[in-house]
Amino acid sequence: MKRGLLHSKKGAEDFLNSKVAFIVLNVIFIALMLFYLLRVQKGASLIEQTYAKQIALIIDQAKPGTSLNIDISELYSLADKNNFGREGTVKIDYAAKKVIVKVADGRGYSFNFFSNSVIMWSVDKKSQKLNIEVKENV
Amino acid sequence: MFRNKKGDDRYISFWLFLNWGLILGAIVVMVLLFYGAKMDVREEEAKIIGLKLADCLIDSGKFNDTFLSEDFNIFSSCGLNRDAMWNGDYFFNVSVFQDGQLKKENVTGVADFETLCELSKTSKGDFPLCYEDTFHADNGFDIKVYTASNQAGLKI
């Protein structure tokens, strides 16, 4: 009788322990999945690609005499997060006809544009905006 | 009998981990497929080239007949960079017709793209994306533009 009681107590404990472990493991699994999804969603490579392509298409479409302001605060916050200097975040290489966007060391995204216009660009650090002026190539 | 009774408290088992592994694997594959896919702007690029060409060849609804002269520079006139157009990612073909007769044609870039674009209508694959349109000018000219882009961008 005593042995039976002991045995059932131990069984109940085991049952409870395995149930708790099961719940804890499930919570860890779901948390890891969510963490992975959020990390990928806010991934730098996608944002670099988006900005490089958008800027290049805007330059290609713009007529001479156009001035543009593009908000790059999202790039700056990512660059800060990766301890990457804000200086090299966006670069428009007019000679090579390239837009280069970088938010981390040793990586980035480059996209070509085909406009023949002269592109003058600068970054306003205060408003975190990229200013582009499209001028006629004479 | 004994095994069946014990089975109730086996929450953590090989099957549980296999189940998690399958779910995790499926999510990772889906995420990689979704975010790994190219953000494709080739169609927009082809359209921009086509509209730029049409815009410089038609002025206030009339065909700009300087295009017909020998020394007409389509690159500087239409704001397109010659080197960029010949870098292997682009193609354009501008044909000007008057009363159905071809007056002049300018073909620049990778000539194969025109064939590949036609092929993409019937076959699946990674073909360049194209834009095609015909613009009618008031002075009896028709300008047909056929453009293509295959620029994918570059991770550095």
Side-chain angles (χ1 to χ4, degrees):
Chain A
M1 189 69 176
K2 266 186 184 177
R3 274 181 73 173
L5 188 68
L6 253 173
H7 180 75
S8 75
K9 258 190 180 176
K10 199 175 178 283
E13 254 175 45
D14 283 350
F15 178 73
L16 195 68
N17 283 343
S18 68
K19 212 170 188 181
V20 168
F22 174 72
I23 291 165
V24 168
L25 281 171
N26 264 305
V27 169
I28 291 170
F29 175 73
I30 291 165
L32 279 173
M33 264 195 336
L34 284 175
F35 175 73
Y36 169 73
L37 285 175
L38 286 173
R39 229 188 114 178
V40 171
Q41 196 188 9
K42 289 187 177 178
S45 68
L46 190 74
I47 288 170
E48 283 169 344
Q49 193 182 150
T50 309
Y51 274 86
K53 287 184 175 177
Q54 268 180 353
I55 295 166
L57 286 185
I58 286 170
I59 290 171
D60 284 335
Q61 225 166 354
K63 288 189 172 180
T66 310
S67 291
L68 302 151
N69 291 312
I70 301 163
D71 185 1
I72 53 165
S73 53
E74 193 181 10
L75 290 177
Y76 274 2
S77 58
L78 261 176
D80 291 345
K81 216 168 133 186
N82 294 328
N83 294 319
F84 183 69
R86 289 181 170 189
E87 291 298 318
T89 309
V90 179
K91 196 178 159 194
I92 299 173
D93 188 340
Y94 172 65
K97 302 275 172 204
K98 270 178 191 198
V99 177
I100 300 157
V101 179
K102 273 182 170 193
V103 292
D105 241 339
R107 44 173 293 179
Y109 199 86
S110 146
F111 199 75
N112 295 348
F113 57 91
F114 52 74
S115 171
N116 202 36
S117 304
V118 175
I119 310 298
M120 312 282 280
W121 65 282
S122 61
V123 176
D124 186 344
K125 285 179 186 168
K126 220 174 184 183
S127 62
Q128 304 192 345
K129 281 185 176 163
L130 172 71
N131 305 315
I132 300 173
E133 275 188 55
V134 183
K135 293 185 174 179
E136 191 143 13
N137 196 345
V138 279
Chain B
M1 267 308 256
F2 177 73
R3 284 179 75 160
N4 280 346
K5 272 184 185 174
K6 245 200 146 183
D8 286 347
D9 59 11
R10 278 186 197 160
Y11 277 94
I12 300 157
S13 65
F14 163 74
W15 299 110
L16 174 75
F17 288 105
L18 183 75
N19 197 18
W20 282 349
L22 286 173
I23 294 169
L24 199 68
I27 287 173
V28 169
V29 167
M30 279 191 290
V31 165
L32 289 179
L33 282 176
F34 182 77
Y35 288 106
K38 281 188 282 183
M39 202 186 302
D40 210 338
V41 293
R42 291 176 298 169
E43 207 170 341
E44 281 74 18
E45 279 196 303
K47 195 175 178 182
I48 292 170
I49 298 169
L51 294 178
K52 274 196 152 197
L53 289 165
D55 196 38
C56 80
L57 296 183
I58 301 171
D59 188 19
S60 307
K62 288 193 172 179
F63 172 63
N64 174 9
D65 56 9
T66 54
F67 175 72
L68 299 176
S69 67
E70 281 296 312
D71 56 350
F72 180 79
N73 187 333
I74 199 161
F75 300 105
S76 58
S77 303
C78 299
L80 299 169
N81 185 267
R82 181 193 291 268
D83 296 336
M85 281 294 129
W86 281 106
N87 75 359
D89 286 332
Y90 305 107
F91 165 79
F92 71 76
N93 182 348
V94 195
S95 315
V96 175
F97 297 88
Q98 190 177 27
D99 304 323
Q101 292 268 312
L102 180 68
K103 301 296 281 182
K104 192 180 174 184
E105 188 180 34
N106 186 314
V107 182
T108 298
V110 187
D112 287 354
F113 281 6
E114 197 167 3
T115 318
L116 291 173
C117 281
E118 290 303 317
L119 204 63
S120 71
K121 291 174 187 168
T122 51
S123 319
K124 281 187 177 179
D126 194 17
F127 295 110
L129 295 181
C130 303
Y131 169 78
E132 188 181 5
D133 210 343
T134 303
F135 300 87
H136 308 284
D138 291 343
N139 46 351
F141 286 92
D142 289 327
I143 297 103
K144 189 184 169 196
V145 292
Y146 197 106
T147 60
S149 166
N150 202 26
Q151 188 188 186
L154 190 69
K155 273 187 182 178
I156 48 174

